[in-house]
Amino acid sequence: MIGLAPVNMRPRMEEALDCIVPLLRGEAVTKKTDWFELNNARLSVGCYSRPTMEIAVASIRSPAGVAAAGRHGASVLVLSGVDDEALRHQVANWKIYEETCAKHGHKADRGRWSFAIQMHLAETREQAFRDVAYGLEKWIGYSNDIVPAPNPVPRGLPNPAQWVVDNQRAVIGTPDDAVREIERMLEITGGFGGFLVFAQDWANWGATKRSLELIAEEVRPRINGSNWLRQASYDRNAPIQEANRAAARAGVTDAMERFQKGRG
C-alpha cells in the first residue's frame, strides 16, 4: 500500500534508529541513505526525560529487533505469541540482546523487557467467554484475511475462545487465570519487566473497561507483590485471633481496674 517491501523494513528501521536516537540526545546528525538525507539536523525541542524518552524496539521473531535495541540501549517490546515455544524463542532473542548491549556499552535490564498479551477478563470464565463472542470471530477473520503473520486462529471453530486459551494464544478468563499465565511466562523467560494488553475489541466497551479494571485491581497487585506484607500479617494473625482477643480483653480489664484503684 505504501510501496515499502517487507524485506526492506528492518534495514530501514536500523537506519532510522541510527538517526533518531542521537537526535533525541540533542546531537546533530548528518546521514544520507537511499530513502532520506539529513544535513547537520538537530531537534529544536529536546526530551524532558534524560538522556531521552524511553525508546522501545518491537521484537517479533527475528533477531533484528533485539539487535537494534541492544545497539542503542533501547527497551524491547515483544509482539509475538506467548505459548511455551514462542517464549523459549524469545529467551534466545534476549541472549542476543544481552550480547549486543555488552558489545556497545549498554546494560541489559530485564525491567525493560515487556510482552504484549491478548487478554480479556471477567468475574467468571463463562462471562469472559460470553464477552468475547462480541468480536472474536471478526478478529479471526481479520487475522486470516489481512494480517501477514503465519498460523492464524482457524476459522469455523465451535468454540474459538476455548481454542485460543487451550493453545496459549490468549488469556480469556478470570484474574486467577491471568496471574497463572503471567507466572508461567515469568518462569519460562526468567523474568521480564512488564506486559501490555492488545486492544482487539473482542468485547464491547463496557466489558473491556471491566476487564482493564480487573487487571489493575486484582492482577497487577498480585504480580507485583504490592499486598504481600498485608497478606502476611493477615495470615499470621488469623489463626491466633482468639488469643489476640483474650489479650485485648485482659488489657481492657487491667485498665478498668487501675482506674478504679486510682479513684480511691
Side-chain angles (χ1 to χ4, degrees):
M1 182 175 67
I2 61 175
L4 179 60
V7 70
N8 295 326
M9 292 174 61
R10 289 168 180 81
R12 289 193 174 187
M13 175 189 71
E14 294 169 2
E15 290 177 328
L17 279 172
D18 287 342
C19 297
I20 292 170
V21 174
L23 284 171
L24 291 175
R25 289 175 178 155
E27 302 172 16
V29 176
T30 297
K31 187 177 180 69
K32 183 176 182 178
T33 72
D34 61 355
W35 61 290
F36 72 83
E37 181 175 352
L38 299 176
N39 293 296
N40 201 33
R42 187 188 295 272
L43 297 182
S44 58
V45 178
C47 294
Y48 178 80
S49 303
R50 293 289 184 265
T52 70
M53 68 179 75
E54 183 175 7
I55 304 168
V57 181
S59 174
I60 299 176
R61 187 163 183 84
S62 81
V66 291
R71 284 196 297 115
H72 296 287
S75 301
V76 177
L77 174 59
V78 178
L79 301 179
S80 71
V82 293
D83 57 274
D84 291 351
E85 181 182 356
L87 290 173
R88 284 190 286 269
H89 183 82
Q90 293 304 326
V91 170
N93 275 350
W94 180 256
K95 291 180 180 178
I96 295 172
Y97 176 73
E98 290 177 323
E99 294 167 357
T100 310
C101 280
K103 182 178 179 181
H104 291 86
H106 304 297
K107 181 180 178 181
D109 179 2
R110 285 180 177 268
R112 300 178 64 194
W113 189 21
S114 299
F115 286 76
I117 306 173
Q118 303 195 85
M119 179 182 293
H120 179 79
L121 305 183
E123 279 75 5
T124 66
R125 291 179 188 173
E126 293 76 15
Q127 183 60 53
F129 278 36
R130 286 193 294 269
D131 288 346
V132 300
Y134 173 86
L136 182 55
E137 287 282 8
K138 292 180 181 178
W139 177 84
I140 291 172
Y142 174 77
S143 298
N144 280 269
D145 295 337
I146 305 298
V147 178
N151 303 317
V153 177
R155 302 178 192 267
L157 295 168
N159 190 340
Q162 189 65 60
W163 190 94
V164 297
V165 170
D166 291 343
N167 288 273
Q168 298 177 323
R169 296 289 189 94
V171 180
I172 304 174
T174 67
D176 287 342
D177 295 325
V179 170
R180 184 188 65 251
E181 288 302 296
I182 294 169
E183 288 178 342
R184 173 184 63 83
M185 294 173 61
L186 289 167
E187 181 179 358
I188 293 174
T189 60
F192 54 88
F195 73 91
L196 292 82
V197 178
F198 279 109
Q200 303 285 25
D201 294 325
W202 285 357
N204 65 36
W205 180 228
T208 298
K209 286 193 293 183
R210 182 56 185 148
S211 176
L212 296 174
E213 288 171 351
L214 289 170
I215 293 170
E217 295 169 0
E218 299 192 29
V219 177
R220 186 175 183 272
R222 289 170 62 183
I223 294 298
N224 289 346
S226 303
N227 293 329
W228 78 270
L229 284 172
R230 181 173 61 182
Q231 188 63 50
S233 177
Y234 186 99
D235 294 341
R236 181 191 64 204
N237 286 288
I240 58 172
Q241 181 60 356
E242 287 304 319
N244 289 340
R245 286 197 179 103
R249 288 194 298 269
V252 171
T253 300
D254 179 72
M256 293 177 64
E257 291 175 350
R258 285 188 289 106
F259 176 75
Q260 293 296 334
K261 289 180 182 179
R263 294 181 64 182

